[in-house]
């Protein structure tokens, strides 16, 4: 079942807001920029995470130092799931944040 355009945008907006809130509350020195549906997280060491919405295919994309990842929304688990590894977005963000800035954050809400 395909997501409607409105539901897709609502889900991405909510996900990006959750990511922003987690980083805001973390105490890390990060720069957050959300512009035209693209959320960029810049770490103190210069590395970045970039979250972008791919509306035509209803995916959330994540660019990180370790590569690019594409996520489909799974209605049954209410989670974004990587289309190649089946890893949940929250699990991947725990790993990637640790790799990129050395911080252990919890992304349980994702």
């Amino acid at each position: 079942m395909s997501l409607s355009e409105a539901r897709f945008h609502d889900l991405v907006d909510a996900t990006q807001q959750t990511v922003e809130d987690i980083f805001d509350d973390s105490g890390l020195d990060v720069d957050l920029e959300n512009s035209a549906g693209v959320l960029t997280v810049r770490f103190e060491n210069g590395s970045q995470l970039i979250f972008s919405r791919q509306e035509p295919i209803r995916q959330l994309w994540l660019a990180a130092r370790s590569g690019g990842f594409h996520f489909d929304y799974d209605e049954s688990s209410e989670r974004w799931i990587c289309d190649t590894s089946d890893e949940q977005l929250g699990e991947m963000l725990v790993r990637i944040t640790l790799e990129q800035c050395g911080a252990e954050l919890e992304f349980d809400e994702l």
Side-chain angles (χ1 to χ4, degrees), residues 26-78:
S26 73
L28 291 175
D29 186 12
V30 295
D31 180 34
L32 300 168
E33 179 184 337
N34 198 333
S35 177
V38 176
L39 172 63
T40 304
V41 180
R42 288 183 186 84
F43 297 105
E44 193 173 17
N45 64 11
S47 69
Q48 304 181 89
L49 298 177
I50 302 170
F51 299 85
S52 61
R53 64 187 77 212
Q54 301 301 314
E55 184 179 328
I57 54 177
R58 304 290 196 266
Q59 285 187 327
L60 175 63
W61 286 9
L62 169 62
R65 191 165 53 193
S66 57
F69 306 95
H70 305 163
F71 294 85
D72 295 303
Y73 190 77
D74 180 61
E75 291 282 1
S76 62
S77 66
E78 297 183 336

Side-chain angles (χ1 to χ4, degrees), residues 16-30 32 41 103-107 109:
Q16 289 182 340
Q17 186 60 57
T18 299
V19 169
E20 283 187 66
D21 291 346
I22 290 168
F23 280 109
D24 277 341
D25 295 342
S26 73
L28 291 175
D29 186 12
V30 295
L32 300 168
V41 180
E104 281 191 60
L105 300 182
E106 295 199 13
F107 294 89
E109 298 172 49

Side-chain angles (χ1 to χ4, degrees), residues 3-11 58:
L3 294 172
S4 71
E5 182 178 338
R7 174 122 170 92
F8 170 74
H9 285 293
D10 287 347
L11 289 166
R58 304 290 196 266

Side-chain angles (χ1 to χ4, degrees), residues 62-108:
L62 169 62
R65 191 165 53 193
S66 57
F69 306 95
H70 305 163
F71 294 85
D72 295 303
Y73 190 77
D74 180 61
E75 291 282 1
S76 62
S77 66
E78 297 183 336
R79 298 279 190 250
W80 291 99
I81 307 293
C82 182
D83 68 356
T84 55
S85 69
D86 289 331
E87 190 174 9
Q88 291 182 7
L89 176 61
E91 294 169 349
M92 187 178 287
L93 285 174
V94 169
R95 181 174 46 79
I96 288 174
T97 302
L98 185 59
E99 290 170 2
Q100 286 196 213
C101 76
E104 281 191 60
L105 300 182
E106 295 199 13
F107 294 89
D108 295 339

